[in-house]
Amino acid sequence: MPHPGAGPLSPPGPADGAPQRLRGGVLGMADIAAATMANVGPAMSFFFGFAFLATTAGVASPLTIAAAGVAVALLGNTLAEFSRAHPSAGSFITFVGRTFGPVSAVTTALLAAVGYIIAMAGVVSISGGFVQITLHHYTGVDLPWIIWTLLLTGLAVVLMLRGVVVSTKWAGYFFGAEMLVLVVVSVAALVEHRGALSFDPFLPSRISDGFKGLAAGFPLAVYLFIGWENSAALAEETENPRRNVGRAVFSSVAIMTVSYILFAYATVTGFGYDVNALGDSRIPFIEVADDTLGALAFLAYLGGLTSTLGVLIAGINSQARLVFNAGREGLLPSFFGYVHPTRRTPNNAIVTFTAVALLIIGGWGLGHLLGPGGGPMNPVVFFTESSTLGAILILLVYLASNIALPLYYRRYRPQEFRVVRHLLLPAVGTVAILVPLYYLAKPGQPAPYNWFPYAAIATLLAAVGYATLLVRRDPALAERVGSIVADAD
């Protein structure tokens, strides 16, 4: 039954009795680290993001990636410190809500849900789009990408509904396959072009337009790491989450940073340090693989396919758990807080998250058909567009979390407060978030990117309005925010 004070605008909180919980302690540090890196999807992210980054940052794009890795590590400090103090499947929602109160918790829940679903819609579309690209390249068959998207998404959902251990293991397997391919191709390319190797990609002077070019390329480099926060949402199912979530975050960010630098160096070297030619390529890394490995370049395509599957599973798995926890605590409708009685998986949250992502793809595609051009939607273009809009909302959540960390420790754990970990690093991390936010939202961008900032502002205002009304109708919400700790008995 609803909590006292609940009304039409107030979704009920957890059911009477003990709240529904996920299966605790079934994942180890290696499991959640692998799932985190699978969520990052290095092959998918690098294949479709590096050309734009290289044309923006120039030959020294690997240096821009290194700077982005440092920035993400600063964000990782915030997530690790919060998880050490209050591990929760709610992740950022819980952290912000515990610091600033229930209105901020509901607002963050809506921003995170909308942002992650929009961003994941791009991943869902590109999964089928990359299959279409691969089949057409090798066989000439050109089946519509939406068919492959529906098949692969259905497969991913089935794995997730079978249980977190099964789905996380498969995400890890897919990640291992893509990393093996990426490393082999990169090393082969560097060996092939060993006579032309140069230190130029690591010289600040080779960044286009100096600091301006670094700043412009920085948000693109940061986006390569989106998904780094995956492990926090798996805290309830992780053994010793207070320790292992932070370890998984930092190890994942370190491995991804070194890996991306290797892939970037191999790609710019494979193109003879010609960023114009690199920017004109649809998938530069694939072209390098074709030139280096010939027929064996099929492995690079295979790496892209396993990457999209890994991101589908790992991304929806973790992000749906944010929605689940919000439903369990009454921030969102309690429908999302349902757990399968046997497998202990948040089925309603997973299925709804995926269904809404598919509806976004359908709506975006309809807009293309009815728009001025009247043509079908390109999944690669949609991936870039939806990822950008989703990233703006997600960065707002990151920003709130960084601001919250020092306040949380000063208020609730003053004896553990440390100036460097809880004040200095979050402050620098806040600046690191503001840079990509500015470049994603600055005026003068081409359509549809020019209206994304307004869509983000409208979403934020609507979320605050809904949260304010909800908290007024349900004062008990303040007590439920973050009430379920991951390692509680």
Side-chain angles (χ1 to χ4, degrees):
M1 61 184 290
H3 285 261
L9 291 171
S10 179
D16 287 337
Q20 298 200 58
R21 298 186 67 96
L22 304 171
R23 193 180 301 280
V26 293
L27 300 176
M29 196 280 286
D31 294 320
I32 61 173
T36 296
M37 291 184 282
N39 194 174
V40 171
M44 183 195 70
S45 300
F46 191 79
F47 283 7
F48 298 105
F50 185 66
F52 195 16
L53 170 60
T55 55
T56 304
V59 170
S61 48
L63 198 59
T64 308
I65 291 174
V70 172
V72 173
L74 292 172
L75 304 181
N77 171 74
T78 295
L79 193 65
E81 289 300 311
F82 265 127
S83 296
R84 184 172 65 84
H86 200 94
S88 167
S91 187
F92 294 118
I93 301 168
T94 297
F95 306 150
V96 173
R98 293 288 292 181
T99 304
F100 297 117
V103 171
S104 69
V106 178
T107 301
T108 306
L110 290 170
L111 286 179
V114 174
Y116 279 121
I117 290 174
I118 291 174
M120 186 54 64
V123 175
V124 171
S125 70
I126 204 65
S127 64
F130 196 74
V131 173
Q132 181 189 40
I133 291 171
T134 303
L135 284 179
H136 185 261
H137 177 78
Y138 282 101
T139 69
V141 175
D142 196 20
L143 288 176
W145 60 269
I146 190 62
I147 295 175
W148 302 111
T149 286
L150 293 174
L151 287 174
L152 292 176
T153 304
L155 173 62
V157 169
V158 168
L159 284 173
M160 285 182 279
L161 297 182
R162 287 186 60 193
V164 70
V165 174
V166 173
S167 56
T168 299
K169 293 291 186 186
W170 274 101
Y173 297 151
F174 288 134
F175 167 72
E178 69 175 296
M179 278 296 288
L180 178 62
V181 168
L182 289 168
V183 171
V184 167
V185 172
S186 298
V187 172
L190 293 176
V191 171
E192 177 74 16
H193 298 88
R194 57 189 178 278
L197 295 181
S198 167
F199 199 67
D200 283 1
F202 303 102
L203 297 177
S205 60
R206 296 305 305 271
I207 297 176
S208 299
D209 297 326
F211 181 78
K212 182 179 179 181
L214 175 64
F218 186 71
L220 305 173
V222 168
Y223 183 75
L224 295 178
F225 291 87
I226 291 291
W228 63 269
E229 68 276 31
N230 175 287
S231 57
L234 300 175
E236 189 168 326
E237 293 145 298
T238 300
E239 179 185 11
N240 195 355
R242 296 180 188 272
R243 181 191 65 183
N244 285 334
V245 168
R247 293 171 65 187
V249 167
F250 287 122
S251 61
S252 300
V253 172
I255 292 171
M256 287 295 92
T257 301
V258 173
S259 299
Y260 277 139
I261 291 173
L262 171 64
F263 308 153
Y265 185 49
T267 304
V268 295
T269 300
F271 275 85
Y273 308 104
D274 185 346
V275 292
N276 293 323
L278 194 158
D280 290 337
S281 173
R282 182 169 62 169
I283 308 179
F285 192 84
I286 292 288
E287 191 169 324
V288 170
D290 279 327
D291 292 341
T292 304
L293 301 178
L296 291 179
F298 172 74
L299 295 174
Y301 285 93
L302 185 62
L305 293 175
T306 59
S307 181
T308 57
L309 281 169
V311 176
L312 272 179
I313 296 170
I316 296 177
N317 240 351
S318 67
Q319 293 154 22
R321 277 160 171 75
L322 302 181
V323 176
F324 154 75
N325 192 71
R328 179 172 59 175
E329 294 182 348
L331 282 65
L332 295 177
S334 58
F335 167 82
F336 298 117
Y338 168 79
V339 172
H340 188 278
T342 304
R343 299 188 178 95
R344 313 308 299 169
T345 50
N347 287 11
N348 290 356
I350 290 172
V351 172
T352 304
F353 188 102
T354 307
V356 174
L358 289 171
L359 287 174
I360 290 173
I361 294 171
W364 214 295
L366 185 62
H368 273 268
L369 290 174
L370 300 179
M377 182 177 75
N378 184 320
V380 177
V381 174
F382 172 69
F383 172 77
T384 305
E385 293 172 350
S386 66
S387 300
T388 301
L389 177 55
I392 295 174
L393 297 173
I394 295 169
L395 285 171
L396 291 175
V397 174
Y398 291 172
L399 181 63
S401 300
N402 270 271
I403 296 172
L405 182 65
L407 299 176
Y408 176 87
Y409 266 84
R410 289 294 293 176
R411 181 180 304 170
Y412 296 109
R413 308 173 81 91
Q415 71 281 3
E416 299 176 21
F417 180 83
R418 299 293 182 272
V419 172
V420 174
R421 290 206 308 266
H422 303 132
L423 181 61
L424 180 60
L425 294 182
V428 178
T430 298
V431 174
I433 295 170
L434 290 174
V435 172
L437 260 178
Y438 167 76
Y439 278 93
L440 290 173
K442 70 176 183 178
Q445 300 186 74
Y449 300 96
N450 58 337
W451 61 262
F452 287 176
Y454 300 105
I457 292 172
T459 303
L460 175 60
L461 294 177
V464 171
Y466 174 81
T468 302
L469 291 175
L470 178 59
V471 173
R472 285 179 181 175
R473 295 295 185 111
D474 185 9
L477 186 60
E479 300 174 6
R480 299 198 302 271
V481 173
S483 60
I484 304 173
V485 182
D487 57 359
D489 293 332

